Amino acid sequence: MNTNNTITFFGPPGTGKTFRLIQCVELQMEKNVLPRKISYLAFTKKAATESINRIQEIFHVPRSNFPYFRTIHSFAFRQLSVQREQVIGPKQLQEFGNEYGVEMSGYYDVQEDEFESRYQGYRKGDRIMFIDGLSRITGREIENIMSELELDMELGSIEIRAVAEAYQKWKTVHGLIDYTDMLEQFVERGTVPELDIVIVDEAQDLSPLQWKVIEKITENVKLVY
């Protein structure tokens, strides 16, 4: 990211960072920056929705005017032009587990945004998927993650890699992607709309892979908050 065009706000929880970012949106719109030229990227769907609601109250413009007020996963999903049916859910995870012979609950902890769901089961397959997923979003080796976080030492890295490899092949055969694939594929081939302003909320919570997405989106913009 080009730090020369970036304004960063620091502060502990509850000090109004998100409120300040919404004020930045107001400021840019008062300068006649078009809503479609502004992207507000939030960590949760709730935060993205709240930002739009606040702006709508002030400027009285329709929701459709803000196509890029989204979570990072939703932004990637939109720009990849994939279909919702292609996104893996609990049912598909269980199908993979059954075909491969590793027990998976397929259970999801659905948070504020459907694209932020995380595997929360505790069966063997669930734990393998969690470790592999953590490796993918952080870019760290499976062995390092298992050692540093003391995760499932009874599972071997060879077994985890075998399941992960089978999972990748299974997704390709069935034409499916998971939430991490959305980010990886966006970095590789996703299109970036013409934007002037990009605002990143809760930036401290982003993974290394999410930062790669942000870096691609902000490569040619005028100003980043």
Side-chain angles (χ1 to χ4, degrees):
M1 183 181 293
N2 180 8
T3 57
N4 293 326
N5 69 342
T6 302
I7 298 174
T8 307
F9 298 101
F10 296 92
T15 54
K17 296 188 297 297
T18 297
F19 179 78
R20 182 71 183 92
L21 292 179
I22 293 175
Q23 287 183 322
C24 293
V25 177
E26 297 174 31
L27 174 65
Q28 295 301 325
M29 290 186 64
E30 288 171 354
K31 293 181 178 180
N32 296 319
V33 177
L34 297 175
R36 61 182 174 81
K37 292 288 188 176
I38 303 174
S39 178
Y40 189 107
L41 299 172
F43 196 65
T44 65
K45 184 177 181 180
K46 179 180 178 181
T49 301
E50 286 180 352
S51 67
I52 296 174
N53 292 342
R54 172 68 187 276
I55 297 302
Q56 285 182 299
E57 289 175 4
I58 297 171
F59 291 93
H60 306 290
V61 289
R63 167 68 177 85
S64 58
N65 285 23
F66 301 91
Y68 305 114
F69 279 52
R70 296 175 173 272
T71 65
I72 296 173
H73 281 90
S74 177
F75 187 100
F77 175 82
R78 185 182 194 275
Q79 296 306 119
L80 286 170
S81 299
V82 297
Q83 302 299 313
R84 194 166 296 271
E85 294 76 20
Q86 293 177 260
V87 181
I88 289 178
K91 180 181 177 181
Q92 288 79 15
L93 274 179
Q94 288 181 322
E95 288 175 357
F96 164 70
N98 291 336
E99 289 184 27
Y100 188 78
V102 58
E103 189 177 21
M104 290 188 182
S105 67
Y107 171 70
Y108 269 55
D109 180 18
V110 181
Q111 301 176 24
E112 298 294 342
D113 191 315
E114 58 192 311
F115 291 142
E116 294 166 35
S117 302
R118 295 293 181 262
Y119 310 117
Q120 293 292 325
Y122 295 98
R123 295 174 183 173
K124 183 177 182 179
D126 302 323
R127 302 198 307 275
I128 290 175
M129 298 300 288
F130 172 77
I131 295 172
D132 175 61
L134 196 57
S135 174
R136 292 170 65 196
I137 65 173
T138 62
R140 298 164 62 200
E141 294 294 330
I142 287 174
E143 292 84 356
N144 292 339
I145 291 173
M146 295 174 68
S147 176
E148 293 176 19
L149 301 183
E150 299 181 354
L151 291 172
D152 277 308
M153 298 309 293
E154 73 274 12
L155 290 174
S157 61
I158 294 178
E159 180 179 19
I160 294 173
R161 291 184 190 282
V163 175
E165 181 178 345
Y167 176 59
Q168 295 296 333
K169 291 180 179 178
W170 182 85
K171 286 186 296 182
T172 300
V173 169
H174 292 276
L176 298 171
I177 65 172
D178 60 22
Y179 303 125
T180 303
D181 289 325
M182 284 184 200
L183 304 185
E184 292 174 337
Q185 291 184 18
F186 176 79
V187 172
E188 292 174 1
R189 61 179 178 84
T191 60
V192 179
E194 293 185 7
L195 300 167
D196 290 337
I197 311 295
V198 173
I199 297 168
V200 185
D201 198 2
E202 302 293 353
Q204 74 280 357
D205 292 328
L206 302 187
S207 69
L209 179 56
Q210 287 172 323
W211 272 115
K212 289 183 179 180
V213 173
I214 296 299
E215 288 168 0
K216 178 168 181 171
I217 295 172
T218 60
E219 187 174 7
N220 296 310
V221 303
K222 296 177 181 178
L223 182 61
V224 182
Y225 291 103

